[in-house]
Amino acid sequence: MVKSLSILGSTGSIGRQTVAVAEHLGMRVAALAGGKKIDLLEEQARRLHPKLVSVFDEDAASKLKTVLADTDIKVLPGMEGLIEAAVFDEADCVVTAVSGSVGLKPTLAAIEQKKRIALANKETLVCAGTLVMKHAKECGAEIVPVDSEHAAIFQCLMGRQKGELSKILLTGSGGPFRGRKREELENVTPQQAVSHPNWNMGAKISVDSATMMNKGLEFIEAMHLFGVTPDDIQVVVHPQSVIHSMVELVDGTVIAQLGVPDMGIPIQFALTYPDRCPSMFEKLEFSKLKALTFEEPDFESTPCLKLAMDCARKGGTAACIMSAANEVAVHMFLRGELGYNRIYDAAADAVEAIPSVETSDLDEIIAADTAAREYVKEHF
Ligand code: MG
């Protein structure tokens, strides 16, 4: 079991829940990294007494430094600070819960130090899955997924041999607009898009869940994490979010992982794995479950999912381009600068316009990411 943690993105949704789980388990939090929410970072720092707090935003970092001047906590700014938190000596596990491709470099740095990676940053594997998995294997670093679906698949595959797996059944709720046609979604507001029926999550991932880009990103992540091809993964819409994903074995047996939809449970497992500890979360009450239902995804209403699956098949930097373009477009949508349906257009156009290259070179991957961001800023 993990003894000491570094939490990257400690003020976000996953980060805050990780803090709660760490406190419940009595785990030491040695380093924190956050963005602009200085008040919350200060509160976390004073409560958890980490040795290091990194703040990505330079101005916010100097503010926090002043605020924490009466403590011996070191405050570091920028990417350098984020990497410092990722490789912090005392931590044996790094929770990568920052949003966006900014998580890539610190994750690679932590892998190099053989830290356990409790992986909650999707973009890391979507952008650089081949590189990251290869690096983790070479360095002997464990990657334990935090995302509920991948945590489910990970658990369903525990103790299985590679040849036993027939396919992965990746479940998704279908988001708040399930059953609605694309043309009906033209005037969706950010507030409507972030109201997820089952999960309480950050704004970016909530919009991705609405467009089902989130499921597309998870599709790509699953390929890398579990070493399977796009043909080995089937997306199943399951509106109740009770089954968090399943695996079908070659003999027709299906193994599922179930639980209440609370991210705290997979977070805790990523920290206690391979052990289990009592948790503070609700248990499933089967007598109260009305029904578990399943549908096929509607690719016409959720073209982002189809786009992501196409990019997965295309390989190279296509998924990275798509993800970076989507990230910019989602933030523009959240600021009211772009219509909801234009998120897909931005991602699809970027994939169309920017050539995908076959590479596992970090600089080339970052260049593809940058090109996609610039493309969307210029054309949308
Ligand atoms: Mg998920």
Side-chain angles (χ1 to χ4, degrees):
M1 200 157 105
V2 168
K3 286 191 188 73
S4 179
L5 284 180
S6 171
I7 307 175
L8 311 186
S10 67
T11 57
S13 176
I14 296 285
R16 293 193 310 267
Q17 294 176 79
T18 304
V19 167
V21 169
E23 288 187 305
H24 167 75
L25 295 171
M27 268 174 197
R28 160 100 182 119
V29 178
L32 292 173
K36 286 182 179 168
K37 293 177 196 151
I38 292 303
D39 293 347
L40 181 54
L41 257 184
E42 185 200 351
E43 190 196 308
Q44 290 179 337
R46 290 197 184 276
R47 206 171 67 234
L48 302 165
H49 308 289
K51 285 190 182 147
L52 170 72
V53 179
S54 110
V55 189
F56 195 70
D57 185 88
E58 308 255 343
D59 289 340
S62 61
K63 273 181 205 148
L64 187 70
K65 205 169 180 171
T66 314
V67 168
L68 290 178
D70 63 318
T71 70
D72 54 3
I73 299 168
K74 194 167 153 193
V75 179
L76 284 176
M79 180 53 84
E80 233 173 284
L82 194 54
I83 291 175
E84 190 96 356
V87 300
F88 197 69
D89 205 27
E90 197 189 310
D92 47 12
C93 172
V94 181
V95 181
T96 60
V98 292
S99 167
S101 56
V102 68
L104 184 53
K105 275 187 181 172
T107 306
L108 286 168
I111 286 173
E112 225 147 88
Q113 299 303 314
K114 292 191 174 52
K115 310 271 189 202
R116 172 182 295 181
I117 310 294
L119 185 78
N121 172 270
K122 288 206 161 78
E123 290 78 0
T124 299
L125 288 184
V126 170
C127 287
T130 311
L131 170 68
V132 170
M133 294 310 289
K134 190 169 153 255
H135 201 54
K137 202 173 172 189
E138 285 166 1
C139 297
E142 270 176 325
I143 297 185
V144 185
V146 165
D147 202 353
S148 61
E149 293 78 1
H150 305 91
I153 298 160
F154 184 85
Q155 291 173 75
C156 293
L157 289 175
M158 278 168 71
R160 304 261 78 83
Q161 307 297 322
K162 178 99 188 166
E164 293 176 48
L165 179 66
S166 155
K167 68 178 169 189
I168 287 172
L169 298 155
L170 179 68
T171 58
S173 70
F177 307 132
R178 185 175 57 88
R180 307 252 300 265
K181 293 284 161 223
R182 184 163 150 83
E183 52 277 16
E184 296 171 48
L185 301 175
E186 202 56 56
N187 299 315
V188 158
T189 64
Q191 206 192 346
Q192 291 168 319
V194 299
S195 325
H196 196 277
N198 305 333
W199 296 96
N200 185 4
M201 305 178 291
K204 198 264 176 181
I205 187 175
S206 295
V207 175
D208 284 344
S209 296
T211 62
M212 284 194 81
M213 177 58 94
N214 183 52
K215 209 49 56 186
L217 297 174
E218 289 177 354
F219 185 96
I220 299 164
E221 265 191 295
M223 276 171 47
H224 291 297
L225 265 175
F226 305 111
V228 298
T229 69
D231 293 332
D232 300 324
I233 310 172
Q234 184 186 340
V235 175
V236 179
V237 174
H238 165 48
Q240 296 82 17
S241 302
V242 168
I243 294 175
H244 301 314
S245 277
M246 305 176 265
V247 299
E248 181 193 278
L249 304 181
V250 285
D251 64 357
T253 294
V254 175
I255 302 178
Q257 190 263 345
L258 290 73
V260 293
D262 190 320
M263 285 308 296
I265 299 172
I267 290 171
Q268 171 161 322
F269 185 63
L271 305 185
T272 64
Y273 165 80
D275 301 330
R276 304 254 178 200
C277 291
S279 82
M280 55 187 169
F281 305 106
E282 252 180 75
K283 303 280 186 337
L284 261 189
E285 189 55 71
F286 279 88
S287 60
K288 285 186 186 148
L289 286 179
K290 288 193 188 76
L292 299 182
T293 61
F294 306 93
E295 297 164 16
E296 265 188 66
D298 174 1
F299 291 112
E300 253 172 65
S301 308
T302 56
C304 285
L305 174 59
K306 177 78 173 37
L307 176 67
M309 289 166 74
D310 289 345
C311 288
R313 289 202 164 79
K314 217 169 173 183
T317 48
C320 177
I321 292 162
M322 176 202 70
S323 170
N326 174 69
E327 197 180 316
V328 174
V330 168
H331 286 294
M332 288 171 74
F333 165 71
L334 286 169
R335 291 194 300 265
E337 297 165 12
L338 195 70
Y340 177 79
N341 283 341
R342 297 281 283 158
I343 298 172
Y344 164 76
D345 297 339
D349 287 8
V351 170
E352 188 71 39
I354 303 165
S356 165
V357 287
E358 211 53 62
T359 182
S360 53
D361 178 78
L362 184 60
D363 292 331
E364 279 188 276
I365 292 167
I366 290 171
D369 178 285
T370 308
R373 283 165 202 275
E374 277 163 12
Y375 179 86
V376 176
K377 283 178 197 152
E378 193 180 323
H379 294 87
F380 284 83

